[in-house]
């Protein structure tokens, strides 16, 4: 298979999700600068407490860890499954959770820019 799909390729590499932020944050800044992006959203690294963030800055987190094991196919392996999504509205980043039997999603703001006076 092509290297991009290998253990060290971008689909399975967990450097940005698991290594110490003192190493990760400078690397993510460089990566985001190269591709002209504000944030990087990562999957393939389950988050037991829900969507989380890394590398906080005044303009928002640089990394969003969004894998909440939404597929019930993996529920037995992880012991949980949590339907979720990440919503962007301007620079505000919100995690949405969809509890079974509840019509409206539960919203958790992960970052909201400070209002200038």
């Amino acid at each position: 298979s092509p290297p991009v799909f290998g253990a060290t390729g971008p689909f399975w590499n967990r450097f940005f999700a698991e290594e110490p932020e003192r190493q990760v944050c400078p690397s993510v800044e460089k990566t985001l600068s190269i591709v002209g992006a504000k944030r990087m959203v990562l999957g393939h690294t389950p988050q037991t407490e829900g969507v989380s963030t890394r590398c906080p800055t005044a303009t928002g987190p640089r990394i969003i860890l969004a894998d909440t094991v939404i597929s019930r196919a993996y529920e037995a392996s992880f012991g949980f499954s949590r339907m979720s999504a990440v919503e962007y509205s301007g620079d505000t980043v919100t995690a949405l959770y969809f509890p079974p039997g509840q019509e409206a999603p539960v919203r958790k703001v992960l970052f909201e820019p400070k209002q200038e006076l």
Side-chain angles (χ1 to χ4, degrees):
S1 94
V4 73
F5 296 116
T8 60
F11 289 106
W12 294 109
N13 183 301
R14 290 186 167 90
F15 170 80
F16 290 110
E18 296 180 343
E19 294 301 319
E21 286 195 9
R22 70 180 181 282
Q23 295 172 350
V24 169
C25 297
S27 292
V28 78
E29 289 293 343
K30 182 176 179 181
T31 302
L32 293 173
S33 176
I34 290 169
V35 299
K38 290 182 181 180
R39 295 181 186 85
M40 179 185 295
V41 179
L42 301 175
H44 297 285
T45 307
Q47 303 300 297
T48 58
E49 302 299 318
V51 177
S52 61
T53 64
R54 298 192 83 195
C55 302
T57 71
T59 58
R62 295 299 182 232
I63 297 174
I64 310 292
L65 299 170
D67 186 346
T68 60
V69 190
I70 65 171
S71 174
R72 289 197 176 139
Y74 292 100
E75 191 169 11
S77 298
F78 291 97
F80 69 96
S81 174
R82 191 173 191 184
M83 295 288 288
S84 66
V86 177
E87 175 184 80
Y88 299 95
S89 178
D91 284 329
T92 300
V93 181
T94 305
L96 306 174
Y97 301 101
F98 304 89
Q102 188 170 320
E103 192 169 311
V106 173
R107 304 170 69 82
K108 179 183 176 192
V109 175
L110 301 173
F111 175 78
E112 190 167 37
K114 294 192 185 313
Q115 298 293 325
E116 297 204 17
L117 302 175

